[in-house]
Amino acid sequence: MNVQNNVNFTGLYLKTNEPMAVGTKSINKLSQILKERGGFINRLEQEENTDVFINETLDKVSLVHDEYGEDIHKYIKPELSLDEFSAKNEENIVANLREAVKKFAHDWKVADFWAQLHMQ
């Protein structure tokens, strides 16, 4: 058996509401995504503490931050099409993600400050 894609990261998930059968077409599509975007998915996981979730129709992705979870979607688009999740948009995606994390962290600090202030 000749294995061409040796995936060595955990930052990619299928996001499904119900269990989903994975057929040849789905495996081929996932393989294509990994071949084209695997390095970027790994970068998001390693450098940005963010996992990538692909929807069950394998045409949209959403980003979930390790610390802030899906709540990060308050500051970034909840889903990106695979076309938007392209190499030409990599730096823009990272910049938007970093800005969203910065805003979320700021709001979290403000909320914590007000909570502590009202507890006194």
Side-chain angles (χ1 to χ4, degrees):
M1 185 169 146
N2 184 9
V3 177
Q4 294 180 1
N5 290 327
N6 186 10
V7 179
N8 193 14
F9 58 91
T10 59
L12 177 66
Y13 300 89
L14 278 175
K15 183 176 186 176
T16 62
N17 293 328
E18 299 291 327
M20 177 180 131
V22 180
T24 303
K25 187 176 179 180
S26 298
I27 290 172
N28 288 340
K29 182 67 174 178
L30 281 172
S31 178
Q32 176 189 354
I33 293 167
L34 288 173
K35 185 176 181 181
E36 294 172 4
R37 308 305 307 137
F40 183 50
I41 293 168
N42 188 41
R43 176 183 175 195
L44 289 172
E45 178 192 17
Q46 298 299 319
E47 297 176 17
E48 306 302 328
N49 299 318
T50 301
D51 293 323
V52 176
F53 285 79
I54 298 180
N55 69 346
E56 57 193 41
T57 55
L58 305 175
D59 62 350
K60 294 185 188 271
V61 299
S62 58
L63 305 176
V64 177
H65 191 266
D66 288 349
E67 187 173 349
Y68 302 120
E70 289 186 21
D71 291 340
I72 201 77
H73 294 160
K74 178 177 177 183
Y75 302 101
I76 61 172
K77 192 173 178 182
E79 285 188 321
L80 301 169
S81 71
L82 282 180
D83 290 338
E84 293 172 303
F85 194 69
S86 66
K88 69 179 182 176
N89 292 327
E90 249 181 56
E91 295 310 316
N92 191 34
I93 291 168
V94 170
N96 288 339
L97 179 60
R98 287 179 179 170
E99 186 63 26
V101 168
K102 189 186 309 181
K103 288 178 181 178
F104 200 101
H106 175 266
D107 286 357
W108 188 262
K109 287 178 186 175
V110 169
D112 186 49
F113 171 78
W114 284 107
Q116 288 181 22
L117 187 66
H118 290 291
M119 292 178 77
Q120 294 179 357

